[in-house]
Amino acid sequence: MKAIDLLQDKWTTERAQDVYGVDSWGAGYFRIADSGEVCVCPDAANPDACASLTEIISGLRERGQDLPVLLRFEDILASRVRLLNDSFTGAMQEYGYRGRFRGVFPIKVNQQQQVIEEITSFGGQYHHGLEAGSKAELIAAMAYLDDPEALLICNGYKDETFIRLALYARMIRLNCIIVLETMEEIPLILRLSKQMGLKPVLGVRIKLSATGGGHWRESAGDLSVFGLNTSQVVEVVDTLRDAGMLDCLQLLHYHLGSQIPNIRQIRTGLMEACRVYAGLCQEGAPMGMLDLGGGLAVDYDGSHTNFASSCNYSLDEYCRDVVEVVQQIMDESGIEHPTLVTESGRATVAYYSVLVFNVLAASRLVRDRGLPELPEDAGVITRNIHETAARVDVKNLQEFYHDAIYYRDEARDLFKGGQMGIRERALVERIFWFAMQRMQRLVEDLRHVPRDFEGLEETLSDVYYGNLSVFQSLPDVWAIQQVFPVMPIHRLHQPPTRQAIISDITCDCDGKIDRFNRMREVGRTLPLHELVPGEDYLVGVFLVGAYQETLGDLHNLLGDTHVASVRIGPGGEIEYVRELDGDSVQDVLSYVEYDPRQLVQRFREKAERAVRDGVINGQQRRAVTSAYETGLRGYTYHESTGNGV
Ligand SMILES: *Cc1c(COP(=O)(O)O)cnc(C)c1O
């Protein structure tokens, strides 16, 4: 989106919708109201159940909760679980599939207690279960899952304790299934189940030769570190048969990797898995459950393509394709339709959370002051670059570009050699950036951007300083260049007149957001509004409910943000259900082994020595130590000093 267009065309909230693509990525949960504010609307069936995000934030601030804050919408989580189950059931009815759907939520995607509690309580009506990939996750699941019809699936490498816990879970009527990931687990399971006098229900995880595409390509396919290959699967069958326990093998599991953007890859993987399933039935294993793992993608950029941040299929299409493929292959092989299990994590929780932060300041490389005037005593280089800047036109763009760079470098050399003063060098730089900005505007109209100009837009953009840590709240932005929808959550009835990237408040140059959704491409800048002094400017990062919370780290000791859980009533009433305070400074310091009491002690003694040495008086010591102690108790983010929304 070009800055110039934004200024010239008549701005409406519909234009805002086009620029930020809310309708494309929001799945109906978010929309722009006429007031220019982003609203959350968790219930598609009731358009009145809609609330403004800025209003939610004002309410939180009144209650003393500062920004940044992670908003969680319980109704959205419920809606996602409902949609997944309804879509599968609908597809099964449509095709006359004679099996059931049993979803499980993989805890690793969002382990927060609240998420597990909500999924198990709301998902109860669908017998929605849980997937655990470690002992800690299993222990959490064992406490929250009550429904004997819901599945509790154990993946991951398992030691004796893990297996013993899984068997005990079965003993107390949880439908716990141990999925074999390695050959080494088999003798352990055989021994423990014999000891405990309990027949386990077993699954087997296979490696497929088809790979998933997307970021996690290597986590499936022959290179995968997880799962058994075909010859190992046959070995499992033989071992179980020899032990008289082949009747325990009831589930086949595979996982293609997360965020599979292309439906074809999903179909190809599934076809192969169905053949293995049929083979296991023919070997005499009872089977009954086919577990497709995760992979159901989220359309983060709203382009509906096989781009890594998108997917070329809808939830309904996914369910129909899965049902169709399984039914066809099972019918062909004369095998009963299995219960279909999916472990969709991302698609279940991504929409649930929105991170909201305030912008602290904006910095701008080029002030729109026009071409600076040339002083009488300007040197020849300065005159030359000035002339270049004045004459820039589209015909010889690249020549002007090279000239400008040449003169700028000459000026830098003169400065280094002591032949140009600091003021003149500053003038040359200003002229240079003016020229670059002119060229950038011309480049925007070209069909093909010449190579020299790639990255110029980004260089010329403003930097908006956001009160957040990318490393803590959006680790995938940093680690795997994930693109999340980012946009202002208010003022959308006004045109955004700046193009910006967002920098966080860590001191790390990687702490920035500089990849944004644009239709069918990744934009390097985001249209934002001019800051108004004394007024908050609030930006939301959407679809951050999956994977972001616990992958984050304590870079620069910026800790967890505050969290607020919100429900939206049928008339749009805002109900604050739960609030969790983010880390305080003393919290994060204690994570890295400081003892807050000792810190205070040491600091007080230091201040006392200063009194003793006559550097400060007692009253000053009190001010100094009190500021230190307040700081310890404070939020790790920039705390606002009033005039909030
Ligand atoms: C990570 C993982 C999932 C979740 O995948 P999504 O793509 O987030 O749905 C499911 N199953 C297993 C085994 C996993 O490792």
Side-chain angles (χ1 to χ4, degrees):
M1 187 50 57
K2 294 179 217 159
I4 302 169
D5 281 358
L6 294 175
L7 282 169
Q8 283 172 350
D9 301 356
K10 192 172 148 11
W11 185 263
T12 57
T13 48
E14 284 81 54
R15 283 295 315 277
Q17 148 55 33
D18 289 344
V19 169
Y20 298 107
V22 192
D23 289 352
S24 312
W25 53 256
Y29 297 121
F30 304 99
R31 66 157 211 252
I32 301 173
D34 293 340
S35 61
E37 292 172 1
V38 176
C39 289
V40 55
C41 316
D43 185 0
N46 179 9
D48 291 335
C50 224
S52 145
L53 294 183
T54 15
E55 218 174 299
I56 293 172
I57 299 292
S58 311
L60 287 171
R61 291 198 136 175
E62 270 170 25
R63 290 161 174 77
Q65 211 171 40
D66 227 328
L67 294 170
V69 66
L70 186 76
L71 300 176
R72 295 192 184 134
F73 298 104
E74 295 188 356
D75 310 289
I76 292 185
L77 189 55
S79 158
R80 297 306 294 172
V81 173
R82 183 186 320 121
L83 277 176
L84 183 64
N85 282 279
D86 287 351
S87 292
F88 262 112
T89 319
M92 286 174 167
Q93 273 163 7
E94 187 183 325
Y95 284 94
Y97 188 87
R98 295 182 306 277
R100 286 183 304 207
F101 172 69
R102 282 283 184 271
V104 296
F105 176 71
I107 298 180
K108 82 160 188 248
V109 183
N110 190 327
Q111 304 98 332
Q112 301 295 320
Q113 178 271 336
Q114 188 183 356
V115 174
I116 303 311
E117 184 182 323
E118 281 164 20
I119 287 184
T120 47
S121 81
F122 182 81
Q125 55 187 307
Y126 302 105
H127 307 298
H128 209 85
L130 295 171
E131 184 263 359
S134 67
K135 284 181 278 189
E137 290 180 359
L138 174 60
I139 283 173
M142 283 170 75
Y144 278 89
L145 206 60
D146 285 322
D147 179 0
E149 284 204 48
L151 300 176
L152 172 48
I153 295 190
C154 300
N155 290 321
Y157 292 119
K158 298 166 216 58
D159 63 4
E160 194 165 325
T161 320
F162 196 155
I163 293 168
R164 200 186 290 277
L165 276 169
L167 291 169
Y168 277 130
R170 208 157 184 91
M171 207 180 251
I172 58 161
R173 288 176 304 182
L174 288 174
N175 196 352
C176 187
I177 299 173
I178 303 174
V179 177
L180 300 168
E181 300 248 1
T182 62
M183 299 301 292
E184 287 69 35
E185 289 166 359
I186 303 179
L188 256 180
I189 294 170
L190 293 182
R191 175 164 62 77
L192 288 171
S193 50
K194 191 170 282 168
Q195 256 176 31
M196 295 165 65
L198 203 99
K199 265 218 150 148
V201 174
L202 300 178
V204 59
R205 176 167 183 169
I206 51 160
K207 276 183 202 184
L208 295 178
S209 51
T211 62
H215 288 301
W216 290 271
R217 220 177 324 240
E218 275 87 45
S219 65
D222 289 333
L223 284 177
S224 166
V225 292
F226 292 108
L228 305 173
N229 60 33
T230 328
S231 67
Q232 290 169 318
V233 170
V234 173
E235 221 178 306
V236 168
V237 170
D238 292 340
T239 315
L240 290 177
R241 189 184 281 123
D242 289 347
M245 285 176 70
L246 189 56
D247 58 338
C248 296
L249 187 58
Q250 298 181 22
L251 178 142
L252 179 71
H253 167 76
Y254 71 94
H255 173 62
L256 278 178
S258 200
Q259 184 72 11
I260 310 292
N262 194 343
I263 190 77
R264 274 194 49 200
Q265 280 155 329
I266 289 173
R267 288 184 73 114
T268 316
L270 178 58
M271 274 147 82
E272 189 181 343
C274 284
R275 298 293 175 196
V276 178
Y277 182 93
L280 288 171
C281 292
Q282 280 145 13
E283 284 287 328
M287 302 311 287
M289 291 173 275
L290 177 59
D291 177 354
L292 286 69
L296 175 56
V298 165
D299 194 358
Y300 290 98
D301 66 20
S303 68
H304 207 71
T305 57
N306 60 3
F307 233 58
S309 54
S310 181
C311 52
N312 62 6
Y313 54 91
S314 65
L315 174 59
D316 278 337
E317 197 178 339
Y318 171 84
C319 296
R320 279 203 301 271
D321 276 25
V322 166
V323 169
E324 188 193 2
V325 168
V326 177
Q327 177 164 14
Q328 196 184 339
I329 297 182
M330 296 305 150
D331 286 350
E332 239 174 64
S333 327
I335 289 169
E336 258 179 68
H337 299 167
T339 294
L340 292 178
V341 181
T342 68
E343 304 176 348
S344 288
R346 184 184 295 276
T348 308
V349 287
Y351 296 93
Y352 171 62
S353 314
V354 179
L355 178 76
V356 179
F357 63 87
N358 49 328
V359 172
L360 300 170
S363 84
R364 178 174 296 187
L365 185 61
V366 191
R367 303 264 160 206
D368 300 314
R369 289 203 211 114
L371 181 59
E373 289 214 9
L374 212 50
E376 288 283 302
D377 57 350
V380 59
I381 294 293
T382 313
R383 286 179 190 281
N384 287 345
I385 196 169
H386 192 272
E387 195 187 330
T388 305
R391 284 177 40 213
V392 167
D393 69 47
V394 75
K395 271 199 298 257
N396 299 311
L397 208 49
Q398 253 158 316
E399 194 181 325
F400 283 112
Y401 176 80
H402 294 139
D403 286 354
I405 300 254
Y406 173 78
Y407 294 131
R408 194 243 352 228
D409 291 348
E410 286 287 292
R412 286 181 175 179
D413 285 345
L414 288 177
F415 178 73
K416 274 186 271 179
Q419 293 140 290
M420 184 185 274
I422 191 167
R423 283 206 167 262
E424 188 157 1
R425 173 169 170 194
L427 177 65
V428 169
E429 300 278 339
R430 276 211 337 261
I431 298 171
F432 174 78
W433 286 115
F434 171 84
M436 289 299 135
Q437 194 175 41
R438 269 196 143 171
M439 290 181 211
Q440 172 59 22
R441 296 224 165 122
L442 296 171
V443 164
E444 279 167 4
D445 292 329
L446 297 180
R447 197 186 293 238
H448 297 291
V449 176
R451 227 204 156 100
D452 283 338
F453 295 93
E454 281 172 13
L456 183 58
E457 180 190 359
E458 203 182 346
T459 313
L460 287 169
S461 63
D462 297 347
V463 179
Y464 274 52
Y465 293 92
N467 191 13
L468 83 159
S469 159
V470 164
F471 305 92
Q472 177 61 256
S473 296
L474 307 166
D476 283 348
V477 167
W478 166 65
I480 55 168
Q481 277 77 54
Q482 164 86 51
V483 177
F484 290 101
V486 183
M487 65 181 292
I489 62 165
H490 58 163
R491 293 181 61 187
L492 293 162
H493 55 308
Q494 302 164 358
T497 50
R498 307 300 312 171
Q499 292 288 334
I501 65 163
I502 293 168
S503 169
D504 73 5
I505 59 168
T506 67
C507 310
D508 193 316
C509 55
D510 284 337
K512 62 182 178 189
I513 312 176
D514 59 359
R515 297 162 63 86
F516 304 96
N517 282 340
R518 276 184 206 178
M519 281 303 153
R520 277 170 258 286
E521 58 168 348
V522 174
R524 304 314 301 252
T525 59
L526 179 71
L528 288 175
H529 298 85
E530 199 87 49
L531 297 183
V532 179
E535 274 180 35
D536 257 329
Y537 189 56
L538 305 179
V539 176
V541 187
F542 294 79
L543 276 52
V544 297
Y547 296 104
Q548 302 313 292
E549 288 196 47
T550 32
L551 278 178
D553 71 18
L554 288 171
H555 208 35
N556 276 121
L557 294 184
L558 291 163
D560 274 339
T561 66
H562 297 315
V563 178
S565 287
V566 178
R567 261 187 228 145
I568 311 297
E573 307 83 1
I574 299 167
E575 190 189 335
Y576 297 93
V577 196
R578 250 196 244 222
E579 54 192 288
L580 295 173
D581 284 333
D583 288 322
S584 65
V585 170
Q586 57 189 8
D587 289 338
V588 297
L589 284 169
S590 61
Y591 299 154
V592 284
E593 313 290 324
Y594 292 91
D595 175 351
R597 272 172 316 190
Q598 216 171 49
L599 287 170
V600 170
Q601 189 60 27
R602 289 176 75 109
F603 190 77
R604 284 186 178 176
E605 282 165 15
K606 196 181 312 260
E608 189 53 37
R609 281 198 300 276
V611 177
R612 223 170 33 233
D613 298 344
V615 182
I616 55 172
N617 62 29
Q619 223 169 12
Q620 285 168 322
R621 175 183 186 268
R622 184 164 145 192
V624 168
T625 52
S626 132
Y628 187 83
E629 287 165 38
T630 310
L632 260 185
R633 284 189 301 271
Y635 200 16
T636 60
Y637 293 90
H638 193 97
E639 293 167 292
S640 60
T641 38
N643 64 27
V645 276

